Amino acid sequence: MDTTTVPQILDGNAIAAEIKTEVAADIERLHAQGIRSGLTVVMVGNHAASEIYVRNKVKTSAELGMNSELVTPPATVTTGELQALVSRLNVRDDVDGILIQTPLPAHVDKKLLDQAVAPEKDVDGFHPINVGLLQSGHPRLLPCTPAGIIEMLRRTGISIAGKHAVVVGRSDIVGKPMAMLLLHENATVTICHSKTKDLEGFCRTADILVAAIGKAGIITPQMVRPGAVLIDVGMNRITSQEDFARFFAGDAKREAAFKKNGSVLMGDFDPHAFALASYYTPVPGGVGPLTIAMLMANTVRAARLRRGLPVSK
Ligand code: GUN
């Protein structure tokens, strides 16, 4: 890989805007046929970060011309009550996509809820049927974040076939489906996790390194092969002066934000690692916007699939 080029930023906002424009046009086409697509987001209880994410999802779907609905059961709601709520959404013809925002209160059984959502309305791609369809190479609705990452690589012209992709993190939401999508794109895939011995050694062999761990700055420059493509899924808030100085010393813009808010957002990569990359996703403004864009794309896809209308691959 070329190690002499200047690192290129993968601009998630720009790519997401492109996708959203396409989705809005498709929503318009469906509307002309008398179909109004709709997304319902269920957010249980109060969770500060979720509230921001959810507001963004609801706002974006409305902006693109969809019916947009937010349901907010209290934190005391039972799994049974949530299953009943989901069952009502499953049979509503004006609801194409159902998303249950996580994290959920500890007493709620997430697995049962994932199974309660009708697979054809499962815009998160978490239902076992959709997980199985992805695994078997016949994907129908894909988890938004990994699908967005593939879309970003594709639209940027970054080839995946034959590359060694290392995915750090094995969550059902990101790590596992990411690995599967990269495999379907003919990458050689390694999944690393908290029990991996010699994480550094694996990461250093990556042509494409995806970090989805949720630990600020854990991927250091020593762990990165010069010229690698770095994809940062982490979204961590750092609050200590020590962390700030370690990661962002000399960054005047971030320092002003840190002084004002007492915290800044950062990913799983130590930002110094980005200097070694051929391409990298910044935090914020990298992977995050793609997740929302793909949720919108999934909702319209679900609207089409449910009505037997054609969809892209
Ligand atoms: N919480 C954080 N990311 C996600 C996501 O992609 N889907 C849902 N449902 N909850 C999340």
Side-chain angles (χ1 to χ4, degrees), residues 12-27 56 59-61 63-66 155 289-290 292-297 300:
N13 286 311
I15 298 170
E18 209 175 277
I19 295 168
K20 285 190 284 187
T21 301
E22 293 162 15
V23 172
D26 202 21
I27 289 168
N56 208 352
K59 184 171 138 257
T60 307
S61 53
E63 278 168 5
L64 298 192
M66 285 190 233
R155 287 178 188 241
L290 263 295
I292 302 247
M294 294 313 286
L295 173 64
M296 302 301 119
V300 182

Side-chain angles (χ1 to χ4, degrees), residues 50 53 57 99-103 124 126 144-145 173 291:
S50 287
Y53 295 139
K57 290 171 183 177
L99 180 147
I100 301 162
Q101 184 69 23
T102 60
D124 258 330
F126 294 167
C144 302
T145 299
I173 297 188
T291 299

Side-chain angles (χ1 to χ4, degrees), residues 10-93:
L10 293 167
D11 183 346
N13 286 311
I15 298 170
E18 209 175 277
I19 295 168
K20 285 190 284 187
T21 301
E22 293 162 15
V23 172
D26 202 21
I27 289 168
E28 189 59 41
R29 272 192 293 276
L30 289 178
H31 206 184
Q33 297 174 49
I35 299 164
R36 181 130 161 111
S37 341
L39 173 69
T40 298
V41 178
V42 179
M43 179 175 63
V44 180
N46 302 95
H47 185 272
S50 287
E51 277 174 22
I52 297 168
Y53 295 139
V54 161
R55 213 178 308 135
N56 208 352
K57 290 171 183 177
V58 171
K59 184 171 138 257
T60 307
S61 53
E63 278 168 5
L64 298 192
M66 285 190 233
N67 276 330
S68 179
E69 180 183 40
L70 174 61
V71 186
T72 56
T76 51
V77 72
T78 64
T79 303
E81 286 163 343
L82 285 169
Q83 285 172 302
L85 164 66
V86 168
S87 297
R88 290 194 294 278
L89 297 174
N90 283 344
V91 295
R92 264 176 53 190
D93 195 48

